[in-house]
Amino acid sequence: RAELGFNGKRVTRRAQRTEVRSIEENGRRTRSEARRETVAVIRAAPDRDRYKRKALGCGGGHRPASSFRSRTGVHGGGGSSSSILGACSRVSLCAPAWDQRMSEEENPAAEPLPVQDVQGDGRWMSQHNRFVQECKDAEPDVLFVGDSMVQLMQQYEVWRELFSPLHALNFGIGGDTTCNVLWRLQNGELENIRPRVVVLWVGTNNHEHTAEQVAGGMVAIVQLLHSRLPKAKIVVLGLLPRGEFPNPLREKNSAVNNYLRASLPRLGPVQFLDVGGGFVHSDGTISCRDMFDFLHLTASGYSAMATPLHELLLQLLEETPQERRASLV
C-alpha cells in the first residue's frame, strides 16, 4: 500500500494526498500574492488603464480609457463637421476637469523659452528685436502673433488687401511653439502698443507636447494677453490639418481645437475661429493647391481662410456706443 512520495520517501497514499493539497494551497497563495503585487504596480503607473489591460491580460491592443478618442469619438484624420461638433459638445462636459488638471500640473508647453540658436546666426533673436522696435514706432489696431502660418501671410496679396488696411502688425516667426511665443510676448513684444484685437495662431510645431499640453500653452498665452492688454479682444485660430493623408499629427491638431472650443469661452472676450474646415477632401486627402508642402498655405489657401477672419475682425473693430463714448472721454 505504500508508494514513492514527492520527496523521494516512501509514504502512504493518505500522506501523499495531504502533500498534494498543501502544494495546491501554496500555489494559490503564490498566484494571489503575484496578483496583489501587479495591482500595486498598476496603481503607481502613470498610464493606469493601458498598463492594467496589459498586465492582467485584458487585451493590450485596445486604447486606454483615458485617451482623447474614447472620450470624444474623433477617429478620422480630417473629421467631418458633424463629428467635430459632436466631439466638441462631449469635450465641454469634461472641460472643467481638464482645466483643473492643467492648472495643477506643470505644463511644459506653457513654459516661456527662447529658441536655441543651434545654427549660430542669431536670426530668431534678430526677428524678435525687430518686433520690439516696431512696437516703439507703430500704433496697430490688430496684432498677429504666431509661427510660420502668421509669418508667411504677409508674403501674399491677401495681407495687403485685407489686413494691412486694418493697421495690422505681423509678429510671426517660422518654427515657433507656444513656449517661444510666450517668451517673446513677455520680453518686449507687447510694450508701447495697445492693439484692439490680437490674433493668435500657434501650436502646430509643439511636437514634444500632447494635445492637452498644447491647448494649455495656448490658454496661457491668452491669459498673458488679458493681463497685458485688458481692453483687447482676442481671436484664437484653430490649428490646420496637416499631411496629404490622415496621420497622427492631424488627429492631434483636431484634438487641440476641441480642447480650445471647450475652454476658451470661460476666459473672457475670446473668439475661437476654425479656419481649416475646407482643406480636407471627402477621401481624407489635402491638395497641394491649398498647401504646397501639405502644411503651409498657398495663395489660394490663404484666401480661403482669410475671408471669415477678415469679416470677424471688422465686427470686432466696430466700436459699440459704450466704447465710442469711452474713447471720447
Side-chain angles (χ1 to χ4, degrees), residues 87-106:
C88 177
S89 62
R90 286 189 289 273
V91 170
S92 62
L93 296 177
C94 61
W98 171 70
D99 288 342
Q100 184 178 3
R101 186 164 63 252
M102 283 291 100
S103 61
E104 292 175 352
E105 297 177 0
E106 231 178 87

Side-chain angles (χ1 to χ4, degrees), residues 6 66 276:
F6 291 96
S66 60

Side-chain angles (χ1 to χ4, degrees), residues 1 19 27 33 42-43 49 51 56 64 98 104 116 154 176 181 187 234 260 305 307 323:
R1 302 288 302 273
E19 187 171 357
E33 290 171 358
I42 291 171
R43 288 173 178 169
D49 292 328
Y51 195 97
L56 300 184
W98 171 70
E104 292 175 352
Q116 296 294 325
Q154 62 185 344
D176 264 13
V181 170
N187 288 271
I234 301 172
L260 292 174
M305 61 78 54
T307 301
E323 292 173 336

Side-chain angles (χ1 to χ4, degrees), residues 24-40:
E24 289 176 349
E25 291 175 357
N26 289 334
R28 281 196 294 271
R29 281 199 297 272
T30 303
R31 286 193 297 271
S32 178
E33 290 171 358
R35 187 174 182 85
R36 283 197 297 270
E37 292 174 357
T38 302
V39 171

Side-chain angles (χ1 to χ4, degrees), residues 142 166 196-197 233 235 271 273 307-320 323-324:
V142 181
L166 301 180
R196 298 165 58 190
V197 182
K233 302 168 185 175
V235 176
Q271 299 266 1
L273 182 61
T307 301
L309 175 59
H310 182 251
E311 293 176 355
L312 177 60
L313 291 179
L314 290 179
Q315 295 175 11
L316 296 176
L317 290 172
E318 184 177 355
E319 286 186 335
T320 63
E323 292 173 336
R324 194 173 297 113

Side-chain angles (χ1 to χ4, degrees), residues 42-115:
I42 291 171
R43 288 173 178 169
D47 194 349
R48 189 177 303 173
D49 292 328
R50 180 170 60 83
Y51 195 97
K52 183 176 180 180
R53 288 191 176 92
K54 186 175 180 181
L56 300 184
C58 299
H62 297 285
R63 291 188 178 273
S66 60
S67 69
F68 176 79
R69 287 221 242 215
S70 62
R71 292 198 303 272
T72 63
V74 176
H75 297 284
S80 64
S81 59
S82 60
S83 65
I84 292 178
L85 289 175
C88 177
S89 62
R90 286 189 289 273
V91 170
S92 62
L93 296 177
C94 61
W98 171 70
D99 288 342
Q100 184 178 3
R101 186 164 63 252
M102 283 291 100
S103 61
E104 292 175 352
E105 297 177 0
E106 231 178 87
N107 183 3
E111 181 181 356
L113 291 173
V115 168

Side-chain angles (χ1 to χ4, degrees), residues 258-303:
N258 285 328
Y259 282 121
L260 292 174
R261 283 189 184 94
S263 59
L264 289 178
R266 293 188 297 276
L267 297 181
V270 183
Q271 299 266 1
F272 176 80
L273 182 61
D274 188 355
V275 293
F279 294 117
V280 179
H281 297 190
S282 58
D283 60 353
T285 62
I286 292 176
S287 172
C288 60
R289 290 188 294 270
D290 295 323
M291 299 181 183
F292 60 86
D293 60 352
F294 305 106
L295 173 62
H296 298 97
L297 295 172
T298 61
S300 61
Y302 272 115
S303 297

Side-chain angles (χ1 to χ4, degrees), residues 95-327:
W98 171 70
D99 288 342
Q100 184 178 3
R101 186 164 63 252
M102 283 291 100
S103 61
E104 292 175 352
E105 297 177 0
E106 231 178 87
N107 183 3
E111 181 181 356
L113 291 173
V115 168
Q116 296 294 325
D117 188 18
V118 295
Q119 296 173 338
D121 55 9
R123 289 187 302 111
W124 186 86
M125 189 59 68
S126 297
Q127 294 179 82
H128 166 66
N129 292 334
R130 176 167 60 87
F131 296 156
V132 173
Q133 184 60 41
E134 288 186 25
C135 290
K136 300 177 182 179
D137 303 331
E139 296 181 359
D141 285 330
V142 181
L143 175 63
F144 284 77
V145 181
D147 51 29
S148 58
M149 307 305 295
V150 172
Q151 183 182 36
L152 294 177
M153 192 185 304
Q154 62 185 344
Q155 304 298 325
Y156 293 97
E157 191 65 28
V158 67
W159 179 265
R160 292 182 287 274
E161 290 182 353
L162 299 181
F163 302 120
S164 185
L166 301 180
H167 304 98
L169 278 182
N170 188 309
F171 285 179
I173 299 181
D176 264 13
T177 65
T178 55
C179 304
N180 308 139
V181 170
L182 267 173
W183 189 92
R184 290 198 282 126
L185 295 180
Q186 290 182 358
N187 288 271
E189 292 189 15
L190 294 179
E191 301 295 331
N192 305 310
I193 58 174
R194 294 295 179 267
R196 298 165 58 190
V197 182
V198 180
V199 180
L200 175 65
W201 204 6
V202 70
T204 195
N205 295 317
N206 286 64
H207 302 301
E208 298 179 355
H209 306 133
T210 66
E212 287 180 312
Q213 292 170 342
V214 177
M218 298 173 73
V219 168
I221 297 175
V222 171
Q223 292 172 334
L224 174 64
L225 291 171
H226 276 321
S227 64
R228 298 290 183 89
L229 305 170
K231 295 183 179 180
K233 302 168 185 175
I234 301 172
V235 176
V236 177
L237 298 183
L239 302 187
L240 294 181
R242 52 186 296 166
E244 182 179 7
F245 303 104
N247 60 84
L249 285 180
R250 199 191 286 186
E251 294 185 23
K252 176 184 172 182
N253 284 2
S254 178
V256 171
N257 292 341
N258 285 328
Y259 282 121
L260 292 174
R261 283 189 184 94
S263 59
L264 289 178
R266 293 188 297 276
L267 297 181
V270 183
Q271 299 266 1
F272 176 80
L273 182 61
D274 188 355
V275 293
F279 294 117
V280 179
H281 297 190
S282 58
D283 60 353
T285 62
I286 292 176
S287 172
C288 60
R289 290 188 294 270
D290 295 323
M291 299 181 183
F292 60 86
D293 60 352
F294 305 106
L295 173 62
H296 298 97
L297 295 172
T298 61
S300 61
Y302 272 115
S303 297
M305 61 78 54
T307 301
L309 175 59
H310 182 251
E311 293 176 355
L312 177 60
L313 291 179
L314 290 179
Q315 295 175 11
L316 296 176
L317 290 172
E318 184 177 355
E319 286 186 335
T320 63
Q322 295 82 1
E323 292 173 336
R324 194 173 297 113
R325 284 195 299 270
S327 62

